[in-house]
Amino acid sequence: MSNTLAKILMVIAIACLGNSRQDWARDMLAGFREADEAGHPLAFAFRCLLRALREMPRHAEGRETLSRYAVAAFILLPSALILFSGALAGYPFVHLFGLQPHAAPAWMPGGVNDGNRFSMQTLTVLFLILSARPLITAWFLLECDWARVGTAQRFAAAIITTIAIFTSVLMQEARSAALPAALLTIELIALTMIARWKGGSDAPEEEAAAQTVEEPRLLAG
């Protein structure tokens, strides 16, 4: 059991080092084999993990990885929780901004009434789908699948637009879509910053790789 846990910790440690620290990863693996033969692989793997975590903020790839996990943990997951809790409450967020879940206020248009109550199940399903979308986006973000991240964000924008249209037509009130739209805007800002950061950090690595390929050609010429 401890040997299996040690191997898992080593896999995490090597993943934290990234491509720019492959020499460290090879040294760690060699040291892990020696520690395994000596009978204390778990302690060695734990020290390797701590060292890899301390090293991550010191290089561009590690900082970019930490930023992706931070956005997933502190923006996308809370967004999913907020939207899901609203969906469980019935018609999501209809109690905000003066709206009432069972009757329209006497002093303003909108709200749920006998005429539009039939639409509540459909709108709640839309919010349930919307609440699952940040979890899927977080998965794509951690996998660096930017094409699918963009697709998920466009899908969320389409659902929020549909909710706004439904509520404005059925209840003469579209402000209940404001909170999901605000959450999506925050996500877009964070994801755009990470995408630009990753694009900027990849450029020097690609240039260095190109120079490495060109040097032998120049020497041969």
Side-chain angles (χ1 to χ4, degrees):
M1 181 64 181
S2 61
N3 191 271
T4 302
L5 180 58
K7 291 180 180 179
I8 294 174
L9 292 179
M10 286 299 300
V11 170
I12 297 174
I14 293 173
C16 290
L17 289 175
N19 296 326
S20 61
R21 298 293 190 274
Q22 289 301 307
D23 52 342
W24 284 29
R26 287 190 293 268
D27 293 341
M28 284 183 177
L29 287 175
F32 178 74
R33 285 191 289 269
E34 295 178 0
D36 190 17
E37 294 175 357
H40 49 84
L42 186 59
F44 180 84
F46 186 72
R47 289 196 299 269
C48 288
L49 179 59
L50 290 180
R51 185 178 180 184
L53 291 175
R54 287 197 300 265
E55 182 67 18
M56 286 186 73
R58 300 177 183 176
H59 57 92
E61 186 179 2
R63 290 191 295 270
E64 188 266 334
T65 300
L66 289 175
S67 66
R68 287 189 287 109
Y69 276 89
V71 169
F74 299 110
I75 294 181
L76 293 173
L77 295 185
S79 296
L81 181 60
I82 292 171
L83 294 171
F84 183 70
S85 62
L88 291 181
Y91 174 61
F93 312 120
V94 76
H95 59 284
L96 298 178
F97 312 111
L99 298 179
Q100 302 296 325
H102 300 297
W107 51 273
M108 66 178 296
V112 181
N113 52 47
D114 294 336
N116 57 32
R117 197 179 302 276
F118 69 92
S119 64
M120 294 304 101
Q121 291 182 348
T122 300
L123 291 171
T124 301
V125 170
L126 288 176
F127 266 86
L128 286 173
I129 297 174
L130 194 63
S131 67
R133 193 270 321 163
L135 301 178
I136 299 174
T137 304
W139 178 268
F140 293 152
L141 175 63
L142 298 181
E143 293 292 325
C144 289
D145 193 340
W146 294 102
R148 291 183 176 178
V149 168
T151 300
Q153 298 304 96
R154 290 190 293 271
F155 180 66
I159 293 180
I160 293 173
T161 302
T162 302
I163 291 173
I165 294 173
F166 266 51
T167 54
S168 62
V169 171
L170 295 175
M171 289 172 283
Q172 301 178 9
E173 183 60 67
R175 286 184 293 179
S176 56
L179 182 57
L183 294 174
L184 180 62
T185 301
I186 295 173
E187 293 175 19
L188 287 174
I189 293 173
L191 292 172
T192 300
M193 292 176 63
I194 294 178
R196 290 181 177 179
W197 186 6
K198 181 173 178 58
S201 62
D202 286 346
E205 295 179 2
E206 293 175 358
E207 183 179 353
Q211 291 177 354
T212 304
V213 173
E214 288 295 332
E215 284 177 359
R217 295 178 181 176
L218 292 175
L219 293 173

